[in-house]
Amino acid sequence: MLAAVIMASVATGCTSISYYAQSLGGHVQIMAARENVGKLIRGPSTPKALRAKLTSASAIRRFATDELALPDNNSYRSYVDVGRDAVTWAVFAAPEFSLTPRTWCFPVFGCVPYRGYFSRKSATESAVELHREGLDVYVTGITAYSTLGWSSDPLLSTMLRQDDTYLASLIFHELAHQRIYVDDDSAFNEAFAVAVETTGVRKWLRAVGDRAGLRSYEIDRKRRADFLGLVSKTRDELRQVYESPRPPEQMAAAKAAEIDRLRTRYRQLRDKRWAGYRGYNAWFSAAINNAKLAATAVYGEQVPAFLRLFDLCSGDYPRFYASVRRIADLHKPSRAEALEAAETCD
């Protein structure tokens, strides 16, 4: 996820003063609270659990540069306790009968399908306004964000809540945004970052000899693929509904039926193939609408194509990045097609 503050800080006339103020204020507050990771590790007053997490983070950060050819800069070499469960909240919106998300455009960074807020209250207020416009809305908490190298992004307390595999995935993902970023193509950017994250975590787990962790990670990735498959199928079915000449009342009923069918398919998947694994229960228990489905698609649909390209590049990260850069330089309409059609790395 990109930092709303950096995009807003260079905006001229394309966003409100209040949005600019909350973005700039939230980011400046975090940057001012940074503490050097090395000093915290050595400091006698640092809690043991935090010291262990930061030690792991330092090793992961070195691995990102040494083994994944990710940027060697000051990002993720400092730490901030943000004192809350999410560092920002992202607001997604889409029309009632369309899966195309609303986008917001900013100079330098282009258009993205969300707005980010450092305050849950502000995010909720924005969601209410968008809902009044008749849009489907989805608000989700974000644990990490990237400023694309415009500032030295710190490790955040929200990034340390789970195990080291989760931490590695976040660091690799956010640094990937600094490696390659394309204006106005969030699906391309996020799928690329997920591909770097996925291959990087596998490489890191093998390097540290964590076979159990690798098995667990591969199981999680298969579940994620199953989940995205369910969502993709429902998106395809809803697209047919929205393209049909039905009156609004019938279209709304058909939309609700498709979402109910999605939940039914999930329960079948959970109880059979996943042997009762309930990790996605919260996603399906909460409201599901076009904005939520669109947000999920941004992070998943092009990932298989990027992973296939990585294999074509024989797992060589510099070659992979060079190949991705050549595709990224194409005009947007040709980009996804070129990625899918790639037969060689070069």
Side-chain angles (χ1 to χ4, degrees):
M1 181 67 68
L2 303 178
V5 59
I6 296 301
M7 295 183 289
S9 67
V10 296
T12 53
C14 65
T15 190
S16 69
I17 295 299
S18 60
Y19 182 71
Y20 169 89
Q22 70 85 28
S23 296
L24 182 60
H27 184 65
V28 168
Q29 184 178 29
I30 286 175
M31 298 303 284
R34 289 176 298 174
E35 298 180 79
N36 181 270
V37 166
K39 289 183 179 179
L40 284 170
I41 291 173
R42 295 188 297 271
S45 63
T46 301
K48 184 177 179 180
L50 177 59
R51 180 181 291 109
K53 276 290 187 183
L54 294 178
T55 300
S56 294
S58 293
I60 291 167
R61 181 64 184 84
R62 287 193 299 272
F63 188 88
T65 297
D66 294 346
E67 301 297 331
L68 308 184
L70 290 169
D72 186 7
N73 54 30
N74 287 325
S75 290
Y76 309 112
R77 302 187 193 279
S78 61
Y79 171 74
V80 176
D81 185 343
V82 299
R84 53 184 186 263
D85 292 337
V87 61
T88 62
W89 286 264
V91 180
F92 295 83
E96 182 182 6
F97 301 128
S98 172
L99 291 161
T100 301
R102 165 79 67 90
T103 58
W104 288 267
C105 299
F106 305 90
V108 181
F109 291 89
C111 302
V112 293
Y114 55 82
R115 291 186 81 175
Y117 294 85
F118 283 91
S119 160
R120 185 197 295 269
K121 180 174 180 291
S122 296
T124 301
E125 290 172 350
S126 175
V128 169
E129 291 178 6
L130 291 165
H131 184 68
R132 285 174 181 160
E133 295 178 24
L135 297 169
D136 284 2
V137 181
Y138 172 54
V139 180
T140 183
I142 305 300
T143 56
Y145 66 77
S146 172
T147 60
L148 305 183
W150 281 64
S151 62
S152 299
D153 301 325
L155 291 166
L156 305 168
S157 52
T158 50
M159 300 170 66
L160 308 185
R161 292 182 305 178
Q162 299 186 38
D163 61 15
D164 287 351
T165 299
Y166 178 76
L167 175 59
S169 71
L170 291 177
I171 291 175
F172 299 158
H173 183 108
E174 301 305 337
L175 285 173
H177 283 314
Q178 295 187 20
R179 195 67 167 74
I180 294 177
Y181 176 79
V182 185
D183 289 356
D184 303 338
D185 200 339
S186 292
F188 187 91
N189 294 326
E190 294 301 339
F192 164 70
V194 171
V196 174
E197 162 197 332
T198 301
T199 59
V201 168
R202 287 168 174 161
K203 187 178 180 73
W204 173 69
L205 288 169
R206 292 188 186 102
V208 298
D210 188 353
R211 295 182 179 179
L214 181 59
R215 286 194 298 271
S216 178
Y217 183 72
E218 295 296 0
I219 291 171
D220 285 343
R221 295 308 304 174
K222 289 178 181 177
R223 291 192 190 113
R224 179 68 178 173
D226 289 341
F227 164 70
L228 291 174
L230 287 182
V231 171
S232 179
K233 183 176 179 64
T234 296
R235 281 170 53 83
D236 290 342
E237 292 169 347
L238 282 172
R239 194 173 290 111
Q240 294 179 26
V241 170
Y242 300 152
E243 291 173 353
S244 68
R246 311 181 196 195
E249 296 80 6
Q250 291 183 16
M251 196 168 290
K255 174 184 176 181
E258 292 296 347
I259 291 173
D260 285 343
R261 190 173 293 114
L262 171 61
R263 287 194 170 97
T264 298
R265 288 169 176 160
Y266 164 66
R267 289 191 294 269
Q268 293 171 346
L269 175 67
R270 179 195 64 193
D271 297 340
K272 294 180 180 179
R273 185 184 302 183
W274 291 0
Y277 175 77
R278 304 170 70 84
Y280 286 82
N281 273 17
W283 193 94
F284 285 95
S285 296
I288 300 174
N289 58 29
N290 292 333
K292 190 171 184 176
L293 295 171
T296 304
V298 167
Y299 287 84
E301 287 194 341
Q302 295 185 36
V303 173
F306 276 107
L307 292 175
R308 188 176 64 83
L309 181 61
F310 181 77
D311 289 339
L312 289 172
C313 295
S314 303
D316 183 307
Y317 283 93
R319 288 185 64 208
F320 174 59
Y321 298 148
S323 184
V324 172
R325 172 52 60 194
R326 285 191 291 272
I327 295 172
D329 287 341
L330 298 173
H331 292 298
K332 185 175 181 179
S334 304
R335 201 172 291 142
E337 182 180 345
L339 179 64
E340 289 287 345
E343 296 181 354
T344 66
C345 179
D346 303 319

